RNA sequence: GCCCAGUUGGCGCAGUGGUAGCGCGUUCCCUUGACAUGGGAAAGGUCACAGGUUCAAAUCCUGUACUGGGCACCA
């Protein structure tokens, strides 16, 4: 707890964070259990893959969630945040394979069982690291609910889901063209494939006529697939090739004869107008093959090497074969033309290597039946995506959905629970059905188990009390890169198995980029480690920096300077609390300093003003948090604390705090304490550590006894402190003070020098009367009088809103400078008036303008005109 | 090719109809009893461009350009 006398002036986050975490853990503060009468607010974490440590993107993702969880806890909801990790399929297996390679071994020589043991051990370590990092980040996760996508309970859910789909005939096995990653040795789903444009060539190759003579020239980017060709197709309307239709041509080198067929898929303009058809290696060709009952010949094997079908080239790798074949085609005169060509290549989202479309036997989940309810729920508004514009691609994807390939030829994952026995019908079973049965060797796509996450973490398929209370969950927070991979699939599965959307809202955030907007990557060396940031500036600073820029759906260009700024803000908070404490008695009054004890009639302007601003800020912050706009909440709280509370209110309160008027002192103390306590609470979702620490040190003075800020809940105001009148009045005082400060600064009046000033104008009476102390102290005036008669000689003039000050400056300043300054102010005033006049003219000529607006515009114009008049007068007197 | 988003002071970003804001940076002044991780003052923008709607447009509409992203692709 902050000690007003001993503590260092700069805030030191390390010991505070450690102590707070220990206290929260001991109290199980983030634990949640079903509570009758309370509204649940539930989030399931997007489980990080157990591939290593968390990066800055995870820090963003999880801070966003923690902000929501803490916000809802403070609002009185039963907030529950479920932690967990994902086994991560291919990604994790790849990490392990790299390790093994470094050790000079590989998974095949270890065997499946030993490999899985090794993976389990790695997973244990990795989970510890990840959960430790989340803990350090301050995430108020319900640690007792920790789940893993491959633990026993989740395995049960996976099996139940697979079985249910099997029974509904929504999962099937079949030989289809799939995306094959040669490097990872597995099939991938369509969503796991990325595309990138690459420069390549388009080869025009001559396929001679069977029996000799000129045949057909086809154009292809991939000559190596020619050994899998089973036809050449031309457009039925293409007269150029009409004479070839029905004839047979020979594939170079292997001389296999294939027919020339007609298919309207073929474009006239592209290449030669003749398309080589390779059903086993191209989606479109596959479809042509279906239409014409063509055979599918595999020219490339799962290992990426050419098959026996490639005759002399069998056994060569894709890359080597391509070069070799092109060279040979050229040498033998088959290559008629080679032109530059850009084409989109498909790559594996995990390893980046080029995907090979390959015909193979895989498991698929039928999607249309599952997508329908998801589409319906989305269109009915039962499921919303924030920001809204992210919804459209989601919807489009569901509409154009294709079956989901769920089998993976890797070892790390949920083994497909299907058993085979010769020609017997395969059965679904967790255990072996008996002697002679062997289990499918493939595992399920890691996203299959992820899709069940919101169900599985609450015990589904069992009818648990948790499931009844927490499901459907409230909000899912994730990045846009897994909208289809994960979000859509959870919606489909949740609706399929529980007939309810798994979460009502999905908050889609951007990715954290580097300072210049580039994607962070190890190879670029621009990666930011969240732990390093926490060590350097404190966790609250990192969280605040991220939240201050977390505009819905937008990427964040991460500049360390932002964390420095946030650190400074945390420090400001720390020191303002120190200041408040220093001005409080040793012991708190029995009931603390409570707003309800304030005698409203005795409030000063600054009191009424800060309370009005305070009430508005709290409402704003809460509304922004609820609307998933943390940046707006952070901004509102930041400027309130800095600009209103510290720069004005504290400065104005100093007079009363130092004075001898007991009642006035108590009023100032009360407001200082209450406003600070309420602001700390409002900031708590973003900066849990420092706010908890500071709250602990003032809560007694605030008359509160809850053990933790989080359990105390948000400050509720039982009186409407909104006071537009006070805000307007205060704005004039600020204007008066600023005008003199500006004059002092621009004329280089020494800051220590107290000035005399004479005031005139409609607001002068207030400045000389009830606001005299404010203006005198903040503008450092000594003797403030009413201006009498004409302009005093040798004076500077400060023109404010409603009041003008004449400041005698004989011998203090250079009057040329003052003239210059005034001239500049005058020019600005002229501009203001022009704009005001224009607006007024518009408003008065328009038909439906409320009188209120018109009055406002008039007042603006009058104020500007008064200012101009004053400046002109003064300038004239000076020249 | 289709769709979406962005284009605002040196940099990064807010701002959904009424005289352009914030953070960082820059310049000047200030170690005054909370805080120099601070305070005060200041410079700096015809809000990408062209039309339109409106009394009034950074804001709404249309189009163009550029940037980023998604989807679909002609092999």
């Amino acid at each position: 707890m902050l000690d007003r006398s001993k503590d260092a002036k700069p805030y030191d986050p390390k010991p505070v964070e450690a102590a707070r975490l220990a206290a929260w853990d001991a109290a199980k503060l983030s634990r949640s259990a079903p509570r009758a009468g309370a509204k649940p607010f539930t989030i399931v974490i997007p489980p990080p893959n157990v591939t290593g440590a968390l990066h800055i993107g995870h820090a963003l993702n999880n801070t966003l969630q923690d902000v929501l969880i803490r916000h809802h806890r403070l609002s009185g909801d039963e907030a529950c945040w479920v932690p967990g990790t994902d086994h991560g399929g291919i990604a994790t297996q790849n990490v392990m394979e790299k390790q093994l390679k470094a050790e000079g071994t590989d998974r095949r020589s270890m065997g499946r069982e030993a490999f899985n043991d090794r993976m389990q051990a790695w997973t244990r370590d990795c989970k510890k690291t990840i959960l430790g990092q989340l803990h350090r980040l301050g995430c108020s996760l319900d640690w007792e609910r920790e789940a893993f996508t491959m633990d026993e309970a989740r395995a049960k859910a996976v099996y139940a889901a697979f079985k249910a789909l099997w029974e509904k005939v929504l999962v099937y096995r079949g030989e289809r063209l799939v995306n094959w990653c040669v490097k990872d040795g597995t099939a991938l789903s369509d969503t796991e494939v990325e595309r990138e444009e690459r420069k390549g060539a388009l080869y025009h190759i001559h396929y001679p006529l069977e029996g000799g003579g000129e045949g057909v020239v086809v154009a292809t980017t991939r000559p190596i697939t020619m050994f899998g060709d089973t036809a050449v197709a031309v457009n039925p309307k293409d007269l150029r090739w009409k004479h070839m239709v029905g004839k047979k041509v020979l594939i170079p080198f292997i001389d296999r004869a294939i027919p020339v067929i007609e298919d309207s898929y073929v474009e006239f303009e592209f290449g030669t107008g003749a398309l080589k058809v390779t059903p086993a290696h191209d989606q479109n060709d596959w479809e042509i093959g279906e239409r014409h009952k063509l055979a599918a010949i595999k020219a490339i094997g799962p290992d990426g090497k050419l098959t026996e079908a490639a005759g002399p080239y069998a056994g060569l790798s894709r890359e080597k074969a391509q070069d070799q074949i092109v060279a040979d085609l050229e040498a033998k005169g088959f290559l008629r033309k080679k032109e530059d060509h850009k084409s989109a290549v498909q790559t594996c989202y995990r390893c980046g290597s080029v995907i090979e479309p390959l015909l193979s036997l895989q498991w698929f989940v039928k999607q249309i039946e599952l997508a329908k309810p998801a589409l319906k729920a989305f269109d009915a508004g039962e499921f919303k995506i924030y920001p809204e514009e992210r919804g459209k691609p989601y919807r489009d994807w569901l509409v154009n959905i294709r079956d989901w390939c769920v089998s993976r030829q890797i070892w790390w994952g949920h083994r497909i629970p299907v058993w085979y026995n010769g020609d017997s019908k395969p059965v679904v079973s967790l255990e072996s059905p008996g002697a002679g049965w062997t289990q499918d060797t493939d595992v399920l796509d890691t996203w299959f188990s992820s899709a069940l996450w919101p169900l599985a973490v609450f015990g589904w398929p069992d009818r648990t009390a948790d499931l009844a209370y927490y499901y459907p969950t409230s909000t899912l927070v994730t990045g846009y890169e897994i909208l289809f991979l994960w979000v859509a699939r959870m919606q489909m599965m949740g609706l399929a198995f529980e007939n309810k959307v798994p979460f009502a809202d999905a908050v889609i955030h951007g990715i954290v980029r580097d300072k210049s907007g580039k994607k962070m990557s190890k190879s670029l060396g621009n990666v930011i480690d969240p732990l390093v940031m926490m060590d350097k500036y404190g966790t609250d600073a990192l969280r605040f920096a991220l939240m201050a820029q977390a505009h819905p759906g937008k990427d964040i260009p991460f500049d360390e300077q932002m964390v420095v700024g946030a650190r400074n803000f945390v420090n400001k908070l720390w020191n303002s609390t120190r200041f408040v404490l220093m001005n409080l008695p040793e012991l708190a009054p029995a009931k603390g300093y409570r707003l309800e004890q304030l005698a409203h009639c005795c409030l000063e302007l600054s009191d009424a003003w800060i309370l009005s601003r305070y009430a508005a800020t709290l409402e704003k912050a809460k509304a922004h948090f609820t609307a998933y706009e943390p940046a707006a909440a952070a901004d509102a709280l930041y400027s309130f604390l800095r600009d209103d509370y510290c720069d004005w209110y504290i400065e104005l309160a100093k007079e009363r705090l130092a004075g001898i008027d007991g009642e006035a002192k108590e009023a100032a103390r009360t407001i200082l304490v209450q406003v600070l306590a309420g602001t700390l609470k409002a900031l708590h979702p973003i900066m849990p550590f420092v706010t908890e620490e500071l709250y602990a040190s003032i809560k007694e003075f605030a008359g509160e006894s809850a053990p933790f800020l989080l359990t105390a809940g948000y400050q509720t105001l039982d009186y409407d402190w909104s006071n537009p009148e006070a805000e307007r009045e205060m704005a004039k005082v600020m204007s008066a003070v600023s005008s003199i400060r500006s004059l002092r600064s621009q004329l280089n009046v020494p800051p220590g020098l107290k000035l005399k000033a004479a005031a005139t104008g409609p607001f002068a009476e207030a400045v000389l009367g009830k606001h005299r102390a404010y203006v005198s102290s903040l503008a450092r005036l000594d003797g403030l009088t009413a201006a009498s008669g004409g302009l005093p000689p040798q004076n500077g003039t400060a023109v404010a809103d409603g009041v003008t000050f004449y400041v005698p400056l004989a011998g203090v300043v250079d009057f040329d400078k003052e003239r210059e300054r005034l001239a500049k102010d005058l020019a600005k005033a002229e501009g203001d008036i022009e704009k005001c006049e224009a607006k007024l003219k518009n408003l008065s000529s328009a038909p439906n303008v409320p009188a209120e607006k018109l009055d406002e515009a008039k007042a603006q114009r009058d104020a500007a005109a008064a200012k101009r008049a004053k400046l002109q007068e003064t300038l004239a007197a000076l020249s």
Side-chain angles (χ1 to χ4, degrees):
Chain A
M1 191 160 62
L2 189 152
D3 182 304
R4 64 188 87 173
S5 55
K6 285 185 304 208
D7 272 291
K9 288 173 185 179
Y11 168 61
D12 181 8
K14 282 228 176 86
V16 171
E17 287 172 16
R20 286 298 147 194
L21 281 177
W24 292 339
D25 290 345
K28 296 194 174 184
L29 203 58
S30 52
R31 181 85 179 103
S32 172
R35 177 160 56 103
K39 204 175 122 218
F41 179 83
T42 318
I43 298 181
V44 292
I45 197 171
N49 283 348
V50 286
T51 45
L54 300 187
H55 54 69
I56 193 83
H58 289 111
L60 170 68
N61 175 252
N62 288 290
T63 303
L64 278 167
Q65 295 173 74
D66 195 45
V67 164
L68 290 174
I69 287 291
R70 287 180 188 269
H71 166 65
H72 281 273
R73 281 206 172 216
L74 287 164
S75 304
D77 296 338
E78 181 54 44
C80 178
W81 187 14
V82 182
T85 45
D86 196 308
H87 65 280
I90 303 167
T92 313
Q93 177 161 321
N94 283 350
V95 169
M96 179 55 66
E97 291 196 286
K98 252 183 212 166
Q99 282 183 25
L100 295 178
K101 195 174 174 192
E103 294 165 21
T105 175
D106 63 82
R107 72 180 156 109
R108 295 195 191 279
S109 49
M110 283 173 85
R112 192 160 183 159
E113 203 171 321
F115 180 78
N116 268 309
D117 288 347
R118 182 77 189 262
M119 288 297 287
Q120 294 287 357
W122 159 260
T123 297
R124 266 194 301 279
D125 291 348
C126 199
K127 269 194 222 169
K128 215 173 138 191
T129 306
I130 289 171
L131 296 173
Q133 283 182 296
L134 292 172
H135 183 249
R136 168 94 194 270
L137 191 61
C139 294
S140 49
L141 289 150
D142 184 349
W143 301 105
E144 290 175 40
R145 295 180 181 276
E146 189 209 324
F148 175 55
T149 54
M150 242 169 72
D151 61 20
E152 212 175 307
R154 264 44 67 177
K156 191 174 162 186
V158 165
Y159 176 66
F162 190 91
K163 192 159 188 248
L165 291 171
W166 170 277
E167 280 160 5
K168 292 184 197 165
V169 204
L170 289 176
V171 58
Y172 65 93
R173 196 182 193 212
E175 189 163 53
R176 297 288 133 86
L177 205 57
V178 296
N179 309 296
W180 184 266
C181 177
V182 170
K183 184 158 177 290
D184 295 338
T186 181
L188 298 172
S189 66
D190 295 337
T191 39
E192 289 171 303
V193 172
E194 289 172 353
R195 284 188 180 77
E196 60 180 273
E197 189 126 292
R198 282 193 195 170
K199 275 188 217 161
L202 190 64
Y203 301 93
H204 294 233
I205 303 167
H206 179 226
Y207 283 22
L209 192 63
E210 190 182 28
E214 180 73 12
V216 184
V217 178
V218 299
T220 179
T221 52
R222 302 196 65 202
I224 59 163
T225 62
M226 64 197 249
F227 308 113
D229 289 355
T230 48
V232 168
V234 299
N235 193 291
K237 291 179 187 159
D238 194 338
L239 298 176
R240 294 172 297 176
W241 297 115
K242 205 75 190 170
H243 65 285
M244 289 301 300
V245 176
K247 296 186 173 156
K248 289 197 169 182
V249 291
L250 297 174
I251 298 170
F253 307 128
I254 57 169
D255 289 342
R256 182 155 56 73
I258 54 174
V260 178
I261 60 171
E262 289 180 316
D263 195 292
S264 54
Y265 167 80
V266 183
E267 307 258 343
F268 284 67
E269 291 80 16
F270 194 89
T272 62
L275 167 71
K276 62 189 261 324
V277 182
T278 324
H281 295 289
D282 183 278
Q283 187 61 45
N284 293 312
D285 291 9
W286 169 260
E287 282 159 21
I288 295 173
E290 295 275 277
R291 283 197 286 275
H292 299 271
K293 309 247 177 309
L294 299 175
I297 297 176
K298 297 176 195 174
I300 302 163
D303 54 1
K305 289 178 179 162
L306 297 207
T307 63
E308 293 303 319
Y313 301 99
L316 282 180
S317 73
R318 291 183 291 177
E319 298 76 13
K320 274 187 191 155
Q322 173 95 352
D323 295 342
Q324 186 68 52
I325 291 167
V326 169
D328 293 350
L329 284 169
E330 195 162 13
K332 296 265 169 65
F334 290 113
L335 188 67
R336 292 287 167 87
K337 193 174 168 190
K338 179 186 169 184
E339 54 188 343
D340 288 341
H341 180 74
K342 263 192 291 187
S343 65
V345 296
Q346 303 194 312
T347 57
C348 170
Y349 82 135
R350 282 306 172 205
C351 71
S353 62
V354 175
I355 291 296
E356 196 61 53
L358 210 70
L359 192 61
S360 73
L361 188 61
Q362 302 288 344
W363 285 95
F364 295 86
V365 174
K366 276 192 199 159
Q367 295 283 266
I368 292 174
E369 291 85 343
L370 295 172
K372 269 184 196 155
L375 201 57
K376 203 174 144 205
F378 183 74
D379 288 341
E382 287 160 33
F383 168 54
K384 292 201 185 80
I385 293 178
Y386 297 83
E388 212 180 337
E389 61 265 20
R390 294 281 176 197
K392 203 172 173 188
Y394 169 81
R395 195 180 184 285
D396 289 347
W397 188 80
L398 282 178
V399 171
N400 300 313
I401 199 159
R402 288 191 292 177
D403 284 356
W404 173 17
C405 174
V406 290
S407 44
R408 296 290 176 273
Q409 290 65 51
I410 57 172
W411 288 353
W412 180 236
H414 292 279
R415 190 128 169 210
I416 289 177
V418 176
W419 298 76
Y420 310 99
N421 188 357
D423 289 336
S424 307
K425 209 177 155 211
V427 297
V428 173
S429 170
L430 212 46
E431 304 288 321
S432 168
W437 289 84
T438 54
Q439 189 173 4
D440 197 301
T441 52
D442 290 352
V443 301
L444 285 165
D445 181 2
T446 189
W447 297 104
F448 188 93
S449 51
S450 311
L452 303 169
W453 189 242
L455 293 164
V457 296
F458 296 119
W460 185 90
D462 296 342
R463 313 309 308 167
T464 63
D466 278 351
L467 192 67
Y469 185 75
Y470 293 115
Y471 190 93
T473 69
S474 311
T475 304
L476 181 93
V477 181
T478 191
Y480 50 74
E481 67 277 13
I482 52 177
L483 194 60
F484 310 144
L485 278 171
W486 193 43
V487 177
R489 278 163 186 164
M490 282 191 286
Q491 286 287 327
M492 290 191 276
M493 293 295 207
L495 284 160
F497 298 126
E498 281 297 311
N499 204 26
K500 284 182 204 155
V501 293
F503 36 85
D505 292 350
V507 176
I508 308 298
H509 61 252
I511 57 172
V512 184
R513 294 170 176 276
D514 79 356
K515 190 174 151 173
S516 54
K518 282 199 281 288
K519 216 166 176 170
M520 287 186 188
S521 73
K522 276 177 198 159
S523 53
L524 280 175
N526 58 354
V527 175
I528 299 281
D529 183 348
L531 284 175
V532 172
M533 292 298 116
M534 289 190 246
D535 284 340
K536 278 174 89 170
Y537 307 107
T539 302
D540 291 323
L542 174 64
R543 291 174 57 125
F544 188 88
L546 288 170
M547 290 304 98
Q549 297 174 97
H551 302 286
K554 296 270 180 80
D555 288 350
I556 295 177
F558 189 91
D559 185 347
E560 191 167 333
Q561 275 306 312
M562 285 298 293
V563 194
V564 173
R567 188 272 316 263
N568 294 352
F569 178 60
V570 170
N571 191 56
K572 185 82 179 170
L573 199 59
W574 172 264
N575 278 301
S576 5
T577 307
R578 274 182 66 234
F579 171 80
V580 171
L581 277 175
M582 286 165 66
N583 286 283
L584 293 175
E586 275 305 308
L587 290 174
K591 289 180 183 165
Y593 294 100
R594 306 289 302 176
L595 285 183
E596 56 267 25
Q597 293 161 359
L598 283 177
H600 288 203
C601 59
C602 301
L603 291 188
E604 287 191 2
L605 172 63
S606 64
D607 298 337
W609 167 78
I610 196 72
L611 287 167
S612 179
R613 297 279 304 131
Y614 166 65
T617 304
L618 290 194
E619 282 317 304
K620 227 193 278 181
K622 283 189 215 171
H624 287 316
F625 282 138
T626 308
Y628 309 121
E629 291 166 352
D635 180 59
L637 292 164
Y638 180 92
S639 50
F640 172 74
L641 197 276
R642 260 198 124 87
D643 304 341
D644 297 340
Y645 187 78
C646 290
D647 286 351
W648 292 97
Y649 190 73
I650 283 186
E651 291 311 316
L652 290 174
K654 281 178 179 172
E655 184 113 357
R656 276 182 284 168
L657 294 170
I660 49 165
D661 181 340
E663 214 168 284
K665 193 182 279 191
E666 295 301 279
R669 283 172 167 173
T670 301
I671 294 168
L672 280 170
V673 167
Q674 284 299 323
V675 171
L676 179 61
T679 308
L680 287 171
K681 288 177 176 178
L683 276 166
H684 182 264
I686 302 178
M687 312 196 295
F689 295 104
V690 72
T691 51
E692 177 80 272
E693 179 78 4
L694 296 176
Y695 174 73
S697 66
I698 65 157
K699 68 179 178 189
E700 220 184 316
F701 292 95
E704 296 184 21
S705 56
F708 298 98
L709 189 157
L710 208 52
T711 47
Y714 276 136
Q715 217 81 338
T716 49
L717 301 176
D718 47 16
Y719 179 82
D720 179 11
W721 291 102
S722 157
N723 193 335
E725 180 53 39
E727 297 211 25
R728 273 195 295 273
E729 182 90 352
M730 189 63 190
K732 286 190 194 170
V733 171
M734 290 167 152
S735 164
V737 170
S738 298
S739 71
I740 297 175
R741 281 178 174 169
S742 179
L743 177 144
R744 299 183 72 115
S745 176
Q746 290 181 52
L747 296 182
N748 295 325
V749 177
L753 183 65
K754 292 209 168 184
L755 296 173
K756 289 195 191 312
T760 177
F763 195 60
E765 195 187 328
V767 166
L768 292 163
K770 53 186 174 181
H771 307 321
R772 164 182 286 268
Y774 287 180
V775 176
S776 297
S777 73
L778 294 182
R780 311 204 108 236
L781 296 177
D782 178 19
L784 186 54
T785 56
S788 55
L791 283 175
Q794 297 282 291
N795 73 289
T797 307
V799 183
D801 187 8
V803 59
T804 299
F805 298 96
Y806 300 125
V807 185
L809 291 169
V812 181
V813 302
D814 169 5
F815 280 88
D816 286 341
K817 247 188 181 167
E818 172 64 351
R819 268 189 290 275
E820 205 177 293
R821 195 182 75 90
L822 290 169
K824 218 164 67 185
D825 282 359
L826 182 60
K828 187 170 184 304
E830 304 268 9
D832 285 352
I833 285 186
E834 240 170 79
K835 284 174 192 164
C836 286
E837 293 282 8
K839 181 178 168 188
L840 200 57
K841 200 176 136 208
N842 283 337
L843 287 178
S844 46
S845 66
N848 301 320
V849 175
E852 198 185 310
K853 290 255 180 196
L854 205 63
D855 291 347
E856 194 186 289
K858 271 183 191 156
Q860 281 171 353
R861 196 265 321 265
D862 292 346
K867 189 165 182 179
R868 176 176 65 178
K870 247 333 162 207
L871 285 163
Q872 284 169 335
E873 185 193 336
T874 320
L875 211 48
L878 264 183
S879 347

